Amino acid sequence: MTETPDWVKITREIDAPIELVWEMWTDPEQFKKWYGPKGMTVPTAQMDVVVGGTRKICMEMRSPDRTMTMWFTGVYKEVGKPTRLVYTESLCDADGVLIAPQAMGMPEGHPDITEVIVELAEAGDKTVMTMTHVGVPEGTAGGGGWSQAFDKLAELLAGA
């Protein structure tokens, strides 16, 4: 029996130069344009992109009945412009206070802190982007959310 990895790893070739793809990950205004699954927006993206700097992101989905928000916070562990970005990610409230994943409906055993590793490589005038989210098992909603976000990113950059 093969065990499912406890990470999501996605590689995409993006039709944009590496500097622009880096900016999409590190500039709050650019990040807000593509992050999150389809149907979700990012009204808040606070990023201090230096080693030890913090980030706080809000994803929001509006429906006629209600508005659902999910907040995430983390710390930048590596900032290797323009090829490598590593940060932690945890669920939090609007004030940045950590929330247990189970309180947001995540399965038992979901880690309180996960790690996102973004690796960028030049491929001619395109960029190969590999994102690994350690702590989010392959085949879960998290992986699907990342795929949808990367579809939005590719679409956005195709028109750039």
Side-chain angles (χ1 to χ4, degrees):
M1 183 172 141
T2 307
E3 204 172 301
T4 303
D6 70 343
W7 65 84
V8 169
K9 185 173 189 168
I10 299 171
T11 299
R12 294 271 180 105
E13 186 173 84
I14 305 289
D15 192 10
I18 194 169
E19 292 81 11
L20 182 54
V21 178
W22 176 265
E23 185 180 324
M24 299 308 283
W25 277 97
T26 59
D27 178 293
E29 292 309 308
Q30 297 299 333
F31 189 80
K32 288 162 68 169
K33 293 177 182 177
W34 66 271
Y35 186 72
K38 290 188 185 333
M40 297 203 85
T41 60
V42 178
T44 302
Q46 299 168 352
M47 303 170 148
D48 181 15
V49 187
V50 297
V51 173
T54 59
R55 64 193 312 275
K56 188 167 78 169
I57 309 297
C58 176
M59 286 193 315
E60 180 177 273
M61 181 177 279
R62 294 179 182 264
S63 70
D65 303 332
R66 68 185 184 111
T67 299
M68 183 197 79
T69 58
M70 288 181 75
W71 288 87
F72 301 92
T73 189
V75 175
Y76 289 98
K77 295 174 69 176
E78 291 181 45
V79 179
K81 182 180 181 178
T83 59
R84 187 170 168 88
L85 186 67
V86 179
Y87 60 88
T88 62
E89 188 166 84
S90 298
L91 290 162
C92 68
D93 64 17
D95 295 321
V97 176
L98 297 187
I99 297 172
Q102 292 71 31
M104 293 295 295
M106 302 288 187
E108 228 18 81
H110 189 283
D112 291 345
I113 300 172
T114 61
E115 184 175 85
V116 176
I117 303 163
V118 181
E119 297 168 301
L120 304 176
E122 289 180 306
D125 56 353
K126 297 181 181 187
T127 302
V128 175
M129 176 181 76
T130 300
M131 185 283 313
T132 306
H133 196 160
V134 180
V136 174
E138 188 177 291
T140 62
W146 277 114
S147 283
Q148 290 178 33
F150 294 155
D151 290 346
K152 288 167 41 179
L153 175 63
E155 214 171 279
L156 181 65
L157 291 176

